[in-house]
Amino acid sequence: MSTLDELAAQLRGDDGLLAAAIVDPPAAARAELGEAAAAGDPAYALLVEAIREGELQHYGGGRLLRDGDPDLALLAGDHLYALGLQRLADAGDLESVVVLAGVIARCAQAHAEGQTADAAEAWRRGAAAVAARGGTL
């Protein structure tokens, strides 16, 4: 099962409005940033991709939510940010929380300024920083 398939399955398992709106990821969708950050730990790949999916939901490019309701996409984005950051904090990896919270902030600024390439660069650097830590959950 791919990282995105696993994330979709977990979100469906949460039940409720968001669970009912989760779709299978497109066949071509890859969890490249999560895999880059994972440093061999699939749990990290899932958490990083949850946070990445949160950003994508906020800015219109999500992979796991049925299209059509921008309010639900915003709610899903917030939920996914919190899911990833909380699990990292629960595992005691506060350094990765700081790194990825910084990525979220830089992405928000980049999108506000219309600089989507800067958001992509923030993710590339953030994933590399998390991988360099080599932490495990």
Side-chain angles (χ1 to χ4, degrees), residues 6-73:
E6 186 177 342
L7 180 57
Q10 283 190 17
L11 293 169
R12 283 187 191 108
D14 288 344
D15 210 9
L17 181 62
L18 182 56
I22 298 299
V23 298
D24 292 330
R30 297 214 34 217
E32 294 172 5
L33 290 165
E35 292 166 6
D41 187 340
Y44 265 82
L46 181 82
L47 299 179
V48 170
E49 284 301 325
I51 297 166
R52 171 70 169 143
E53 184 67 16
E55 186 236 346
L56 294 174
Q57 290 298 332
H58 277 200
Y59 301 104
R63 303 163 290 188
L64 300 178
L65 191 69
R66 181 181 64 241
D67 291 330
D69 186 342
D71 292 332
L72 184 58

Side-chain angles (χ1 to χ4, degrees), residues 70-86:
D71 292 332
L72 184 58
L74 185 61
L75 176 66
D78 289 349
H79 177 75
L80 288 158
Y81 282 156
L83 174 81
L85 294 173
Q86 177 188 1

Side-chain angles (χ1 to χ4, degrees), residues 33 52 55 102-103 106-107 110-111 115-129:
L33 290 165
R52 171 70 169 143
E55 186 236 346
V103 169
R106 285 188 296 281
C107 288
H111 285 287
Q115 302 295 324
T116 56
D118 291 350
E121 179 63 14
W123 270 108
R124 188 191 64 71
R125 288 181 184 211

